[in-house]
Amino acid sequence: MGPACSIEVLGSGTSVGIPTIGCRCRVCGSDDPRDSRLRTSILVQLSDGADQRNIVIDTSPDFRQQALRSGFRRLDALLFTHDHADHIMGLDDVRPFNYGRRDRIPAYASPSTLKSLRRVFPYAFSGQATHAGGVPRLEAIPVGHRPIRLFGVDFLPIHVLHGRKPILGFRFGAAAYVTDQTVLSPEAKAQLSGLDVLFLGALRHHPHPTHSTVGEAVALAAELRPRRAFFTHMCHELPHAATVRELPSGMTLAYDGLRITVGV
Ligand SMILES: [Zn+2]
Ligand SMILES: [Zn+2]
Ligand SMILES: [Zn+2]
């Protein structure tokens, strides 16, 4: 039997976050905590007896706040879907997780995402001894098509398109996390069959060149048939309660702080 796995949604909002600066719409002004959305990221926790491992997918600009809110106290691996600012710009804030450990935290991403990470945060990957100010100490590990074995669980990279940009999702056990997707190849769809839990990006109702609408995400979930589908990366045009009421059964919107357990 593999480790117990839980997923915590650290952020479910699109790139500007909700509330959006300067906006007075009803979602940005909502009292419903599920309408407050930090930038998109999840924490995957694998527990094996006393041993708990924490894997974060994407370091959003809200990473510090997300880590404090979640309360996780160690970081064992980072996975990246792609190099857009809303998915990487919190990377500098992983520093405290390096305190008290000598090894580097592994950071898994496609070669093109790693190139961007090295350009934006060169000091985090440098092999040299660093100056007195703390810096993240990361090990860049390129991801292709083969599964990444992390703490007894295979994380399978799922190659999808985000508009014209190739990006990654990840499948682990009966769960998969795919955000910012638009088009999925037949191979990617086959890799996402038989799921218990599937996360998919769903930006808003009207079309967008590089993001799926709610309708497109619903259609994709209906095709892939996970037992439970959670939509994420929403903008302020989607009030949580009203949007969820309109979704087919087995599909709902994720929200910050949502925790679910899955089989791996
Ligand atoms: Zn994004
Ligand atoms: Zn708004
Ligand atoms: Zn993106």
Side-chain angles (χ1 to χ4, degrees):
M1 205 180 98
C5 177
S6 75
I7 297 170
E8 179 177 346
V9 175
L10 298 178
S12 59
T14 191
S15 57
V16 288
I18 320 298
T20 300
I21 293 171
C23 187
R24 296 186 181 178
C25 80
R26 67 190 171 112
V27 176
C28 289
S30 166
D31 294 334
D32 184 340
R34 297 169 303 179
D35 285 329
S36 285
R37 300 171 182 140
L38 298 177
R39 268 62 70 85
T40 298
S41 172
I42 60 166
L43 167 68
V44 180
Q45 290 191 306
L46 302 174
S47 304
D48 205 349
D51 208 22
Q52 187 180 72
R53 302 292 189 158
N54 294 322
I55 300 156
V56 167
I57 305 185
D58 291 338
T59 52
S60 93
D62 300 311
F63 177 81
R64 175 178 173 275
Q65 190 181 344
Q66 290 166 330
L68 289 171
R69 184 160 77 179
S70 168
F72 62 95
R73 297 179 62 184
R74 54 178 289 164
L75 179 59
D76 298 286
L78 291 168
L79 304 181
F80 289 92
T81 60
H82 65 301
D83 61 0
H84 283 164
D86 53 323
H87 297 260
I88 67 167
M89 291 308 284
L91 184 59
D92 187 68
D93 284 323
V94 308
R95 277 180 286 149
F97 291 109
N98 280 117
Y99 301 163
R101 61 184 285 172
R102 301 183 72 84
D103 56 333
R104 293 175 171 271
I105 298 171
Y108 296 88
S110 70
S112 74
T113 298
L114 287 179
K115 195 172 165 195
S116 298
L117 291 174
R118 286 179 186 280
R119 182 171 52 78
V120 181
F121 305 99
Y123 53 88
F125 300 96
S126 138
Q128 293 152 15
T130 48
H131 56 83
V135 295
R137 297 181 65 251
L138 306 176
E139 181 186 359
I141 305 177
V143 170
H145 288 267
R146 283 213 293 271
I148 307 156
R149 186 85 174 160
L150 290 176
F151 318 114
V153 175
D154 277 338
F155 286 71
L156 178 67
I158 311 289
H159 293 252
V160 303
L161 283 177
H162 174 16
R164 295 167 67 173
K165 182 181 177 68
I167 64 167
L168 297 179
F170 297 97
R171 176 178 181 152
F172 39 103
Y177 182 73
V178 179
T179 183
D180 295 56
Q181 86 291 339
T182 46
V183 178
L184 270 63
S185 66
E187 185 193 1
K189 287 178 181 175
Q191 290 170 324
L192 295 172
S193 66
L195 289 170
D196 174 17
V197 168
L198 172 62
F199 282 84
L200 287 174
L203 182 70
R204 62 188 190 191
H205 287 303
H206 58 285
H208 187 282
T210 62
H211 287 278
S212 288
T213 62
V214 173
E216 288 162 345
V218 165
L220 183 56
E223 187 182 347
L224 299 174
R225 299 172 58 97
R227 206 164 67 78
R228 298 175 280 171
F230 296 90
F231 302 139
T232 192
H233 210 293
M234 284 82 66
C235 84
H236 60 169
E237 292 169 31
L238 300 177
H240 184 91
T243 306
V244 162
R245 272 199 297 275
E246 303 293 316
L247 292 174
S249 73
M251 303 185 198
T252 191
L253 297 188
Y255 54 87
D256 293 22
L258 171 68
R259 287 187 74 100
I260 49 182
T261 57
V262 293
V264 290

